[in-house]
Amino acid sequence: MGAESSGTGPLPRDADRPYGDEAGLAAGLQARDKDALGEAISRYGPSAFGVASRVCRDPQLAEEAAQEAFLTLWRRPGVFDPSRGTLKTLVVSIARNKAIDLVRREESARRVQEPLRTSLHHAEENSPWGDVDLRAHVEWALATLTAPQRDAISLAYFGGRTYREVALELHIPEGTAKTRIRDG
């Protein structure tokens, strides 16, 4: 009895939890109850973070993937279908997919930055402006852009890619790639 009152006792059964079993928790999420989301995070957050950590191998990216999983669950609570598995399985699966997307995004960003560095170095060596530091000007101009615009422009202008190739590499629609390049 002492262990249970000190908080070190056995975990509560589903019936002892605020939303009971998964069906009750899913119903709370369907009703857009913020407390249900909190309960889902409490129950499944460690598992979502764990699987994301194994995929990302970066705690910050893993945390972002886990958060994105719960945002997806909040935005689309109807995605849970008890005939296809448990709510925990769904959350972990979403976290894994989000982690994979984040890892791909990071790899894509690295591929974008390398040609940019090479182009800047080459441009700096061949600068017609003598004392003017072209690299500093280009870096300043790129720093004023949003990250999505900077990535699209770097791929298009420094990487020599078409807007279609930019869209494929960044995993975005072609229209979005065109807009980011134009706006940047």
Side-chain angles (χ1 to χ4, degrees), residues 20-39:
D21 61 5
E22 280 199 339
L25 184 56
L29 290 168
Q30 284 279 17
R32 312 284 291 170
D33 183 347
K34 290 180 183 175
D35 291 334
L37 179 62
E39 179 66 18

Side-chain angles (χ1 to χ4, degrees), residues 12-21 24-25 35-36 39 43:
R13 298 181 333 244
D14 279 346
D16 298 335
R17 291 184 171 187
Y19 289 90
D21 61 5
L25 184 56
D35 291 334
E39 179 66 18
R43 287 187 194 185

Side-chain angles (χ1 to χ4, degrees), residues 27-81:
L29 290 168
Q30 284 279 17
R32 312 284 291 170
D33 183 347
K34 290 180 183 175
D35 291 334
L37 179 62
E39 179 66 18
I41 292 169
S42 174
R43 287 187 194 185
Y44 310 126
S47 297
F49 179 77
V51 75
S53 293
R54 286 189 293 280
V55 172
C56 295
R57 297 197 168 124
D58 176 343
Q60 290 176 327
L61 285 179
E63 188 173 315
E64 186 177 340
Q67 288 174 352
E68 286 292 325
F70 288 105
L71 277 173
T72 299
L73 187 63
W74 179 251
R75 290 178 183 141
R76 296 181 28 224
V79 76
F80 175 60
D81 178 359

